[in-house]
Structure formats: C-alpha cells, structure tokens
Amino acid sequence: MIESILPAAVAAAECFGDAPGATLYPEERAALGETGEARRLEFTTVRHCARRALGALGLPPAPLLPGVRGAPRWPSGVVGSMTHCKGYRAAAVALRSGIRTLGVDAEPHKPLMEGMLEHIALPGERSCLAELVREHPDVCWDRLLFCAKEAVYKAWFPLTQLWLGFDGARVILSPDGTFHARILAPLPPTPAPPMVFEGRWLADHRLLLACAIEPPVV
Ligand SMILES: CC(C)(COP(=O)(O)OP(=O)(O)OC[C@H]1O[C@@H](n2cnc3c(N)ncnc32)[C@H](O)[C@@H]1OP(=O)(O)O)[C@@H](O)C(=O)NCCC(=O)NCCS
C-alpha cells in the first residue's frame, strides 16, 4: 500500500499486524529496554520491515538503533523512516545520493480527538480543512493533517536535529493525494536548510498514510 505514495527511488516494506518470526539484534533489545509487549512487537516488526526494505535496495540487514530524540540511525549512505499504528507497521528507505530526507507516518482513519485540531493546525490550515471537509466528507482531513505534519517532522529532524512544533510548518493538503509543506520555524544556519517538503498521502477505510520528501517527489 505505502509504495503507491513513494517515488521509485524509495524501497518500502509494510506489515498489517506483527511478523511472528521477526527478531531483534542484541543491541536493539538493549536499546528498547524493559517495555510492554505491544511496544516490543511494534519495535520488532517495524525493524523487520526496515530490513526487508534495505534488502530491496541491495543492502545487508543491520541493527537499527534509536538515536537522538528517537530518530532511527540508518546505515551510512541511507535515509529512511519508520511508522507504526494499530494493525500497521511500515518502513521506507532510500540511498542518500537520490533522496536527501524522507518521513512516513501512518494513522488510523478516524477523526482527531475533540479539541486536538486547535493544537496542531494553524488558523489558515483550519480554513482549508473546512473547505476540504465540505467537498470530500469521506476523508478525515483533520487526522490527515496531523499525519502529514508528523511525516514532515520525521523528514525534518534527521537533517536539522531540531524540534519542530505543529506551528513550525504550514501544510496544504490537496484532494489529489499530494501535500505541500513550508517551514515557518527559524531555519538552521546550515547550507541549504530544508524549507519545503513535498508529500503524498493515501486514505483507505482503515488507514491514513503520508510521506514527506525532499527533494520534491517527481
Ligand atoms: C516522533 C513522532 C513524529 C512519532 O510519531 P508517532 O505517530 O507518535 O509514531 P509513529 O509510530 O508513526 O513513528 C514512530 C517512529 O518514528 C521514528 N522517530 C521517532 N522520533 C523521530 C525523530 N525525532 N525523527 C525522525 N523519526 C523519528 C522512530 O523510528 C519511531 O519508531 P521506533 O521508536 O519504533 O524506532 C511524534 O511522537 C512526535 O514527537 N511528534 C511531534 C513533532 C511533530 O510531529 N511536529 C509537527 C511538525 S509540522
């Protein structure tokens, strides 16, 4: 499912549940520490997906440890992103030579909890959502905005190592399955800081998926 919103240079793998035979490297087990069964399963299965995706790029399996602020540490020369939600796990990877950064996010296709939209949407984003809801009431646009913003954060963080709040980017969703994100937060003083992300999204009856990429999806 997730492949359909990714450019050809990105390899992905997904599971609609947990992979019974999936295992962790000892250093991944140590990094995970003591935790509940649900967390252990999602952490393990998403890494199983990530190793399948790395294999599709012709790369060997490797430990994938959480790094700064939880961002995964990918093998040298690789960029990627992982996501999990109830009944779904996915990982997407690419060679850094082809894609500078990417972020993926999955959410249940349900409206956000009461009161949450005010925390994650800028006033202009809320007006755009109102119009989208009127024209396409079958999509939970509020949750999709949240999903797209989390995908943007997962693409932004590995490049900048900086926090980005929900007011730190303006996301414009289009009914054609694309979105556009512009960073509003102060940019880091690095060469070519990421200012814009292009994205694609997908909704089915159960799930929302979003992917944010720089350079733009072609
Ligand atoms: C980090 C965050 C985006 C994770 O999203 P989530 O919907 O809670 O969880 P998901 O299952 O989709 O993703 C979790 C995976 O994201 C990855 N991740 C965690 N922190 C990350 C970071 N700082 N950068 C990139 N990827 C990160 C990890 O691989 C993690 O899985 P793992 O712990 O099993 O390795 C979210 O918890 C968060 O902090 N959001 C606030 C920041 C934000 O979204 N700002 C919006 C800017 S417009």
Side-chain angles (χ1 to χ4, degrees):
M1 188 172 163
I2 197 165
E3 280 92 349
S4 62
I5 57 165
L6 298 172
V10 180
E14 64 195 349
C15 279
F16 294 85
D18 285 305
T23 52
L24 292 175
Y25 284 86
E27 52 269 56
E28 290 174 330
R29 266 201 302 279
L32 180 61
E34 286 298 313
T35 187
E37 181 66 355
R39 173 64 179 141
R40 190 185 63 75
L41 285 170
E42 68 176 21
F43 185 91
T44 305
T45 302
V46 82
R47 281 163 173 75
H48 172 75
C49 292
R51 288 190 258 279
R52 275 171 42 211
L54 288 171
L57 286 184
L59 298 170
L64 300 168
L65 299 175
V68 182
R69 276 191 185 251
R73 287 164 51 195
W74 297 99
S76 168
V78 173
V79 294
S81 181
M82 297 190 266
T83 184
H84 23 62
C85 70
K86 192 168 183 296
Y88 187 75
R89 288 87 174 81
V93 295
L95 297 178
R96 194 186 297 278
S97 51
I99 300 273
R100 193 171 173 223
T101 188
L102 73 98
V104 292
D105 195 67
E107 295 291 325
H109 193 173
K110 292 180 183 160
L112 287 176
M113 273 162 45
E114 188 78 31
M116 197 168 161
L117 183 63
E118 289 63 38
H119 291 290
I120 66 115
L122 300 165
E125 290 171 336
R126 288 209 289 276
S127 342
C128 292
L129 287 197
E131 197 179 321
L132 288 165
V133 169
R134 257 194 318 276
E135 288 173 14
H136 306 274
D138 46 325
V139 176
C140 293
W141 293 98
D142 57 346
R143 178 79 73 153
L144 182 60
L145 180 69
F146 178 75
C147 185
K149 287 195 160 195
E150 293 219 309
V152 167
Y153 176 69
K154 290 181 189 178
W156 156 269
F157 186 84
L159 281 184
T160 62
Q161 312 279 293
L162 291 174
W163 170 252
L164 188 68
F166 284 96
D167 57 355
R170 182 189 322 286
V171 171
I172 298 171
L173 299 167
S174 301
D176 67 359
T178 63
F179 67 88
H180 176 84
R182 173 165 291 279
I183 299 299
L184 306 175
L187 295 169
T190 52
M195 290 186 288
V196 165
F197 295 89
E198 296 300 332
R200 290 181 62 189
W201 63 268
L202 179 66
D204 79 356
H205 64 289
R206 220 165 46 86
L207 281 174
L208 295 169
L209 300 180
C211 169
I213 284 204
E214 194 201 47
V217 177
V218 284

